[in-house]
Amino acid sequence: VQLVESGGGLVQAGGSLKLSCTASGSLPRINAMGWYRQAPGKERELVAAMSTAGSTWYANSVKGRFTVSRDSTKTTLYLQMNNLNPTDTAMYYCAQGLSIATVDRGVWGQGTQVTVSS
């Protein structure tokens, strides 16, 4: 399985971006995909995740602003990010695992940079 992220960029505070993560290869029938982010000097954190069953998880810092979704084939994960602020600036990584709780124990993408200017 390989994961390829896209959709990052530079946006002004209050703006929106939509990230995509496309998986290629043989995914387990039951799995989860998630978005992590890591800002310079900070630990990596899970931002949002979604299972094939439709369960979702969000970090408190993004609840109400970010929405995670998957396409009908369950091979593409999206992250709609609204009302962005400078603290959202980070490298965003897609990950795939067997469950939301273990989404970090599988495959990782290369990341896409999100920069929010004030």
Side-chain angles (χ1 to χ4, degrees), residues 6-75:
S6 62
L10 174 64
V11 64
Q12 289 188 330
S16 298
L17 281 175
K18 186 173 184 177
L19 305 183
S20 299
C21 171
T22 299
S24 60
S26 181
L27 281 173
R29 185 176 63 84
I30 299 174
N31 64 77
M33 295 176 72
W35 289 99
Y36 283 80
R37 68 185 180 187
Q38 187 166 23
K42 295 190 176 181
E43 292 188 358
R44 183 182 65 195
E45 62 172 343
L46 179 61
V47 175
M50 188 171 189
S51 70
T52 47
S55 299
T56 58
W57 183 94
Y58 294 95
N60 287 334
S61 59
V62 305
K63 282 181 181 177
R65 300 189 300 121
F66 291 11
T67 302
V68 66
S69 62
R70 296 177 78 161
D71 71 340
S72 59
T73 66
K74 304 291 194 296
T75 59

